[in-house]
Amino acid sequence: MKGIVWLLLLSGAVPSSAVTHVLSLDSCRAMALRNNKQLAVSELQRDVATNMRKSARTKYLPHVSAVGSYMYNSRELSILNDRQKGALSGIGTTATSGLAGSLQGFGEGLTDAQKAALDEALKVFGTTTDQALGNIGAQVTGLASALNAEGQKVVDAFRTDTRNIFAGSVMVTQPIFMGGSIVAMNKMARLGEQMAANGIDAKRQQTLFDVDNAYWTIVSLKNKKRLAESYLKLVGRLDSDVQKMIREGVATRSEGLSVKVRLNEAEMSLTQVNDGLVLARMLLCQICGLPLDTDIALADEDSGSLPTADATVYGSHSDAVNNRPELQMLQNAVDISKQATNLLKAGNLPQVALIGGYSFSNPNVFNGFQNKFGGVWSVGVLVRVPIWNWGDVAYKVRAAKGATAMANLELAEAREGVELQVSQSSFKLSEAGKKLTMAKASAEQAEENLRSANLGFREGVIQSTTVMEAQTAWLKAQSQKIDAEIEVKLSQVNLKKALGTLDD
């Protein structure tokens, strides 16, 4: 069967004006499912839901983030104030100023005898008292300069040079307990994916339903076209016979006009059926994704009678509840609403996460203020505990529970509607089967009645009006038979759709 379908699909490359495409019901279904734009939209929605589910799964895993920054400051940070900087820079001068004054006072306070004695004693070293005091003063001055230089070094060492700052960090966050929000989020994502899949099933069954209705409508109109052509031939033959009888003088002109009126009605009926058939074929082409002017023929349209041996459709109300994608989507909505409530409840629960990372900066403070990059590793636990939010979460939870209750009511109502639909479709199928049995019997009786009327008319014992009445009864019986056959098929389609088994 698949090979036949692909052969029919490939034959679409030939111009429609050159080839008549013979399509079976299965091939029409395959093309409709392949080309239906709403079904393609549903497929994309499922892909979106799948990616959302995958995204929700990542919330269980550790997340790594990196941050880098540069900042220029007009002034640098200073650990020492100006007074401290001045004191350190002049520490030698401050320390030696008293010693220099003492030396000067010592020299000035010596008597001549003391100074002469010191000079006599210093002869051993080849110097005098004034020279010795001068040398000591010079050394004190040198010591002051050295101490001042060292103090300045200390001041320079305390400079931070924080006008140009480079900083960055790499952080890892691993959720440990988020109040159940991640679990609820993942369940909602899975339910969303299931809902999207059920949406595809719903669109698929609706597409098959439209295809089947259009297909069997064409079959019905084609059979009615043949019936209208046969009726037109019957009336035309009767018109010819009546015209001959008028010329022979055995029939009246009034009888001929009555037959002409009936002939015109038959031609008009055939025109209406042809127009309806063209529109029905265009509708089927549109559903199947074919150009509207494609010349198509259906595999079942030339059959004398439709097969109805498999008219029984098995199923129960419980099967419909389990199979109908619309009910499954409503159930998904209820479950998503419940998980939304759990997600909101997580707002009142503590959250725990493990954090760790590496931070670095330039200048860094790990070995004084150095103008080079330096960093540090860190690991910790972050705990967030909600204390008071004025009942915000509680109100949201109540609202979510109300939405869940509404979804449950809608689901219950939909289930009741589906059960009623299944019962109605079952009764309609049973009724259609009975109509078909009676229509077949009526068609056989009308066929025999028409044969007898034609025979009596040719033998001259029955008038033309009786023949026209028999023809009308035959047309009505045959039309009812066609309608009954199509009604059985469409009732089967309706029941299968109600049971959710239309694609079987």
Side-chain angles (χ1 to χ4, degrees), residues 32 35-37 280-292:
N35 299 316
N36 186 273
K37 293 181 176 59
R281 291 186 191 279
M282 293 175 65
L283 176 61
L284 182 60
C285 289
Q286 189 269 332
I287 295 175
C288 294
L290 297 173
L292 297 183

Side-chain angles (χ1 to χ4, degrees), residues 384-406:
R384 174 184 176 274
V385 180
I387 297 177
W388 183 250
N389 53 26
W390 301 99
D392 175 61
V393 175
Y395 295 141
K396 290 180 179 178
V397 169
R398 291 177 188 174
K401 288 182 178 179
T404 303
M406 289 188 293

Side-chain angles (χ1 to χ4, degrees), residues 351-363:
Q351 298 177 353
V352 182
L354 179 65
I355 57 174
Y358 180 77
S359 302
F360 55 91
S361 64
N362 181 6

Side-chain angles (χ1 to χ4, degrees), residues 304-463:
S305 60
L306 301 179
T308 56
D310 59 343
T312 303
V313 177
Y314 297 98
S316 62
H317 296 87
S318 59
D319 294 332
V321 170
N322 295 327
N323 296 331
R324 285 290 291 269
E326 296 90 346
L327 295 180
Q328 299 300 322
M329 292 175 67
L330 289 174
Q331 182 62 57
N332 293 146
V334 172
D335 295 337
I336 288 176
S337 180
K338 292 179 179 178
Q339 295 305 320
T341 303
N342 293 335
L343 183 62
L344 292 172
K345 288 180 178 179
N348 275 339
L349 298 177
Q351 298 177 353
V352 182
L354 179 65
I355 57 174
Y358 180 77
S359 302
F360 55 91
S361 64
N362 181 6
N364 68 82
V365 295
F366 301 110
N367 188 18
F369 279 87
Q370 294 179 310
N371 285 325
K372 64 180 181 179
F373 284 99
V376 61
W377 292 98
S378 60
V379 178
V381 177
L382 177 66
V383 179
R384 174 184 176 274
V385 180
I387 297 177
W388 183 250
N389 53 26
W390 301 99
D392 175 61
V393 175
Y395 295 141
K396 290 180 179 178
V397 169
R398 291 177 188 174
K401 288 182 178 179
T404 303
M406 289 188 293
N408 276 314
L409 291 175
E410 291 178 356
L411 176 59
E413 184 179 12
R415 283 176 176 172
E416 293 174 357
V418 167
E419 292 176 357
L420 179 60
Q421 186 179 9
V422 170
S423 299
Q424 290 175 339
S425 299
S426 299
F427 292 148
K428 189 173 182 179
L429 179 58
S430 177
E431 182 182 349
K434 294 177 182 178
K435 284 183 179 180
L436 179 59
T437 302
M438 291 187 292
K440 287 181 178 179
S442 298
E444 293 176 357
Q445 295 172 0
E447 187 78 31
E448 179 61 23
N449 183 39
L450 179 60
R451 188 189 66 80
S452 300
N454 286 330
L455 181 60
F457 179 74
R458 286 195 296 269
E459 293 178 354
V461 297
I462 293 179
Q463 296 181 351

Side-chain angles (χ1 to χ4, degrees), residues 1-12:
M1 179 59 70
K2 290 184 178 179
I4 297 175
V5 172
W6 279 109
L7 180 61
L8 293 172
L9 293 176
L10 291 175
S11 66

